[in-house]
Amino acid sequence: MATIVVVEDQPDNLKLLSTLLTLKGHHVIGLPNGDRVAEVLRTHQPTPALVLLDIQLPGRDGFAVLEELRGLPDRRWKVVALPAHAMPEDRARAAAAGFDGYITKPIDVRTFPETVAGYLT
């Protein structure tokens, strides 16, 4: 299974997302903000395959974090936006910024693991 970084500032959401992914056999690295995402991607072995990135984070938002990640060499991971916004213009903005996908919250616990699995192929 894959190593997945989940960046989510709400502790209950982070716990839920991590639990659902761990139950499917994934190794989850949970982060409460975007401050250490680039460091984890550069140093963690095996290299994470996916980053699930909340957009509304304290400090730097998900768009700023994505911009930093896009500047890293040897990008072997996908970054999926994990916002609470579901408007078409929000999805378009995320796509234009370079996110590899978009999963809105609140998530559907029944389909979330399969949705994530689709980004790991």
Side-chain angles (χ1 to χ4, degrees):
M1 297 270 83
T3 298
I4 300 172
V5 178
V6 178
V7 185
E8 169 61 59
D9 64 320
Q10 297 298 316
D12 291 341
N13 286 346
L14 181 56
K15 183 176 182 178
L16 174 63
L17 298 168
S18 297
T19 299
L20 291 170
L21 295 171
T22 300
L23 287 172
K24 290 295 184 180
H26 299 293
H27 174 69
V28 177
I29 302 168
L31 300 173
N33 58 51
D35 293 347
R36 294 188 45 243
V37 181
E39 173 190 341
V40 168
L41 291 172
R42 282 193 311 264
T43 63
H44 193 276
Q45 293 300 318
T47 301
L50 182 65
V51 178
L52 298 176
L53 182 58
D54 187 10
I55 298 296
Q56 292 184 319
L57 294 167
R60 296 182 309 151
D61 70 10
F63 291 103
V65 174
L66 177 65
E67 188 64 32
E68 177 187 13
L69 300 182
R70 290 176 69 200
L72 294 177
D74 197 26
R75 181 178 171 182
R76 293 178 279 167
W77 57 85
K78 293 180 181 175
V79 182
V80 174
L82 192 63
H85 305 291
M87 301 300 292
E89 57 270 15
D90 296 323
R91 186 179 296 272
R93 180 176 178 218
F99 280 96
D100 297 301
Y102 196 88
I103 302 171
T104 57
K105 296 181 289 188
I107 62 157
D108 181 335
V109 296
R110 296 166 295 172
T111 61
F112 178 73
E114 290 75 28
T115 301
V116 169
Y119 291 110
L120 293 172
T121 59

